[in-house]
Amino acid sequence: MPVGGLVPHAADDAADLVVRNAKIHTGDPGLPQAEALAIRAGVITVVGDDNDVAPQIGPATKVVDALGRRMVPGLNDSHLHVIRGGLNYVLELRWDGVPTLRQGLAMLREQAARTPKGQWVRVVGGWSAEQFAERRLPTVAELNAAAPDTPVFVLHLYQTAVLNRAALKAAGFTRDTPDPKGGQIVRGRDGEPTGMLLSAPSALILYSTLAKAPVLQGEDKKTSTRHFLRELNRFGLTSAIDAAGGFQNFPDNYSTVVELAAVGQLSLRIAYHLFPQTAGQEIDDLARWIEMAKPEDGDAWLRLNGAGENLTWAAADFENFAQPRPQLASGYEAEFEKAVRLLMENGWGFRLHATYDETIRRDLAVFEKLAAEGLFPSGNRWLFDHAETVSADSLDRIAALGGALSVQNRLSFQGEAFVRRYGPGIAADAPPIGAMLERGLTVGAGTDATRVSTYNPWVALHWLITGRTVGDLVVRPPHNRVDRRTALAMFTEAGASLTGEEDVKGVLRPGFLGDLAVLSEDYFTVPEPDIAHIESLLTVVGGRIVYAAGEYEGLDKELPPVSPEWSPVARFGGYQATPSTGLSGSRQAELLGQAAAESEQHRQWRVRRGLAPHTESPVFDPCFVL
């Protein structure tokens, strides 16, 4: 059909999709800006203006007018637990983006009433107490009041879980339950569990408790995964590198994405890793997997990328910043060296969870020992994840060994705890992104969603650019922030490099995969606080429209209904979008009013318990009189 003067041509090689009238940031230095592009058979054929794409338009070409909006390459989260997230998405009540605890508890109360007997209400990551106007966690009493009979499990980062009375019973916690290694069951004076679980610093107590909740079966796992991928597409994500993780067994827990890929129902490209799950069995697992597969097996939609993010459990430094840095066992290097040697000798890349420089230095010593035998650098892709306190010396050693890094916005959610423990000086370089980039290292960006950070990549981009937490605390000063183009490249080009796909994606250029996002706001010009509020209105993967909203609603294919019907996602959706700061002052006043109402409610709670004086007409500053 004619669109804006573009008339179809009877071309044998016509494009499947043309997007025009856009402000395109290509990421290609040879042609940084453009207005239109064409995609055929999943690959970009033309980037330019209307005259350039006109010959590509045939009778069957879908032509979309971007209405002058900003277009960017599809985003690539370089560290996302997408497989595990998909298997659990429809079971979880997401507090991602919720501005007040009052709203979160109202959602929880309503969901408890909808949840059938035998099921749990679970709030699992993507939020921080610092994002709430009240700046606090829910109490056990509040959970008991909201859900007297339905088990409720609320996970706060990798620090704490809050359980109501029914959840303690369902999980089997009693006064006789021993504390697991690295974890604590908080108990009252009578010795009974109170409902608080602490990682000290191991998160295993949190994971293992959550694992006692019911899981999805059969087709529901596919439906959940498809809806999670659509939710990721909502924010312009077209690729992700799955970092595996605890309680993600291979091949069992990977079968859902494999089956979806086989019938063309993935809407996100996934490069995945394999993570040994059983301490003491890691080398046997790795050896078995090496016999089964090799990195880059698969296709552009689903491919194996290597091992990790743990190779051996003893080498993992859990990152509860409310607790001191864990002291890893002496001598873990012997088994760790066996794992690394096995991978390097068989052409496998890997990624390593490493929060602290103390761990990174010990790991690098193993790599340098193997480098003397010619195993580093050898062309195998390998990287450190997180690296909040990595030193300049360690960065030089990583560069010399051919390594890379992937950083996540964990301190968007844990920045306040990090500052309290280590001080603003160390926090200013956590992680030292500027120093990484100065050395020419490949630095991918990601979220580490879904159990710490939210999966919304624009929250991570906001953190990269501003250095601010979701609680609006400035943690990283200007010298350790990046500009908008660099941050976007970390979420596009760098991610492609970490999977060896830098020649086919991450840039909008002829011959590259047709992965793109048309944004709700212009990322390059919106005020910095509004970066976190950006969403995609049109997300395209391989020339296929996988998400469409606003003016484009209905251009994507409809998904099966959320199942089960009582799912929190069916009622509340996923990420809770809030208005940008650029909106009216009346909306800001409304949010402040909500916070004040919650503060008054909290004051009255204290009055009833004799913890604050009673006044008929309280006039108070909630910052000081709570």
Side-chain angles (χ1 to χ4, degrees):
M1 62 178 351
V3 178
L6 298 181
V7 181
H9 296 267
D12 293 334
D13 58 352
D16 301 312
L17 176 69
V18 165
V19 184
R20 64 176 295 270
N21 190 20
K23 290 186 290 186
I24 303 177
H25 171 78
T26 66
D28 181 358
L31 183 66
Q33 303 294 330
E35 299 173 1
L37 58 71
I39 301 171
R40 181 174 183 269
V43 175
I44 298 171
T45 55
V46 175
V47 179
D49 57 22
D50 279 358
N51 290 331
D52 297 314
V53 300
Q56 302 286 311
I57 298 173
T61 302
K62 182 175 290 185
V63 181
V64 176
D65 190 332
L67 302 173
R69 295 188 182 278
R70 173 64 68 184
M71 180 197 295
V72 297
L75 302 187
N76 184 347
D77 190 323
S78 68
H79 186 121
L80 177 64
H81 297 279
V82 60
I83 294 174
R84 185 176 67 195
L87 293 175
N88 294 282
Y89 177 60
V90 301
L91 293 176
E92 296 174 352
L93 177 67
R94 304 302 306 181
W95 279 358
D96 308 49
V98 172
T100 68
L101 178 58
R102 186 182 189 184
Q103 178 182 333
L105 287 171
M107 295 166 65
L108 192 151
R109 186 179 303 110
E110 182 177 346
Q111 182 56 40
R114 301 175 65 248
T115 301
K117 186 176 182 179
Q119 294 289 341
W120 294 24
V121 177
R122 57 199 97 181
V123 179
V124 186
W127 65 282
S128 166
E130 304 296 340
Q131 82 191 39
F132 292 147
E134 302 87 348
R135 305 283 174 145
R136 67 176 179 86
L137 299 177
T139 65
V140 174
E142 286 170 326
L143 298 190
N144 284 331
D149 303 311
T150 304
V152 175
F153 175 97
V154 177
L155 177 69
H156 185 238
L157 310 174
Y158 284 147
Q159 297 176 4
T160 307
V162 189
L163 284 69
N164 70 347
R165 190 181 303 108
L168 285 174
K169 182 178 180 180
F173 286 115
T174 69
R175 64 184 304 146
D176 299 321
T177 305
D179 287 347
K181 183 178 181 181
Q184 180 184 354
I185 302 168
V186 179
R187 305 171 193 273
R189 290 188 297 271
D190 57 1
E192 295 289 345
T194 65
M196 297 290 291
L197 306 179
L198 304 178
S199 61
S202 170
L204 184 61
I205 185 174
L206 311 180
Y207 277 173
S208 59
T209 303
L210 180 59
K212 297 177 182 179
V215 297
L216 293 171
Q217 302 294 334
E219 288 297 310
D220 282 347
K221 293 190 291 185
K222 294 182 184 178
T223 301
S224 178
T225 296
R226 293 185 69 187
H227 277 273
F228 184 51
L229 299 185
R230 177 67 62 89
E231 175 76 352
L232 299 177
N233 299 148
R234 168 188 169 191
F235 297 101
L237 280 163
T238 59
S239 291
I241 309 176
D242 186 88
F247 293 87
Q248 183 170 309
N249 291 295
F250 180 80
D252 301 349
N253 296 134
Y254 292 71
S255 61
T256 297
V257 291
V258 171
E259 291 170 13
L260 291 174
V263 294
Q265 290 182 345
L266 290 181
S267 64
L268 187 88
R269 304 186 192 277
I270 301 172
Y272 60 89
H273 286 78
L274 303 184
F275 181 130
Q277 295 294 309
T278 305
Q281 190 179 305
E282 299 97 329
I283 305 302
D284 291 339
D285 285 340
L286 292 172
R288 185 174 71 257
W289 296 337
I290 286 171
E291 293 297 318
M292 295 170 60
K294 63 180 184 298
E296 301 185 8
D297 276 359
D299 57 23
W301 285 97
L302 184 65
R303 56 194 274 137
L304 172 63
N305 199 49
E309 62 181 292
N310 274 3
L311 301 184
T312 60
W313 279 95
D317 58 354
F318 295 102
E319 79 299 340
N320 179 0
F321 297 127
Q323 296 277 339
R325 176 179 62 83
Q327 299 297 316
L328 300 186
S330 61
Y332 81 72
E333 286 87 349
E335 198 72 4
F336 179 70
E337 180 184 330
K338 292 179 184 178
V340 176
R341 181 187 296 276
L342 179 65
L343 294 169
M344 296 301 285
E345 289 180 342
N346 286 277
W348 273 56
F350 59 87
R351 66 190 309 157
L352 283 173
H353 170 107
T355 302
Y356 302 100
D357 190 56
E358 289 80 357
T359 307
I360 291 171
R361 289 201 306 267
R362 290 177 67 174
D363 292 350
L364 287 170
V366 172
F367 301 163
E368 287 163 344
K369 177 181 177 182
L370 297 176
E373 303 176 25
L375 293 179
F376 285 85
S378 64
N380 294 19
R381 291 186 302 275
W382 70 273
L383 65 127
F384 279 115
D385 277 307
H386 315 311
E388 274 86 358
T389 69
V390 64
S391 65
D393 176 67
S394 292
L395 290 176
D396 290 336
R397 295 165 70 188
I398 292 169
L401 292 166
L405 294 131
S406 175
V407 299
Q408 299 77 42
N409 63 316
R410 303 194 303 182
L411 293 194
S412 281
F413 296 83
Q414 302 179 86
E416 287 83 358
F418 192 95
V419 170
R420 285 192 291 269
R421 178 157 298 281
Y422 297 108
I426 293 176
D429 288 315
I433 299 170
M436 296 173 182
L437 294 171
E438 286 170 4
R439 286 162 171 78
L441 288 160
T442 296
V443 185
T447 62
D448 201 9
T450 58
R451 293 184 175 175
V452 174
S453 304
T454 179
Y455 49 75
N456 182 346
W458 299 102
V459 175
L461 283 156
H462 174 266
W463 171 80
L464 287 169
I465 294 160
T466 69
R468 291 180 181 271
T469 70
V470 294
D472 208 32
L473 174 69
V474 178
V475 176
R476 288 182 296 107
H479 79 268
N480 196 30
R481 303 175 200 162
V482 297
D483 61 48
R484 300 188 193 204
R485 293 180 187 276
T486 302
L488 185 61
M490 293 169 68
F491 252 105
T492 53
E493 299 168 62
S497 294
L498 295 180
T499 56
E501 297 174 283
E502 62 272 25
D503 293 332
V504 296
K505 70 180 180 182
V507 174
L508 298 178
R509 176 191 296 161
F512 277 53
L513 296 172
D515 302 349
L516 60 89
V518 177
L519 306 180
S520 59
E521 304 291 341
D522 190 338
Y523 164 70
F524 291 104
T525 61
V526 295
E528 283 188 349
D530 291 343
I531 292 171
H533 296 272
I534 292 173
E535 296 189 17
S536 177
L537 295 179
L538 187 81
T539 304
V540 175
V541 186
R544 174 161 56 98
I545 297 173
V546 296
Y547 179 80
E551 298 91 343
Y552 312 106
E553 187 173 356
L555 293 181
D556 52 357
K557 289 187 176 181
E558 188 174 3
L559 293 181
V562 172
S563 178
E565 293 182 358
W566 56 265
S567 161
V569 173
R571 172 63 181 89
F572 300 103
Y575 189 92
Q576 301 294 302
T578 54
S580 67
T581 56
L583 294 185
S584 68
S586 62
R587 177 56 180 158
Q588 295 181 37
E590 180 183 348
L591 292 175
L592 286 173
Q594 291 176 2
E598 174 65 14
S599 297
E600 169 63 5
Q601 187 180 60
H602 190 200
R603 188 195 70 83
Q604 292 175 4
W605 180 89
R606 293 175 63 82
V607 167
R608 289 194 298 271
R609 287 158 179 78
L611 301 174
H614 176 77
T615 57
E616 291 297 330
S617 301
V619 178
F620 66 98
D621 183 341
C623 294
F624 294 94
V625 193
L626 286 182

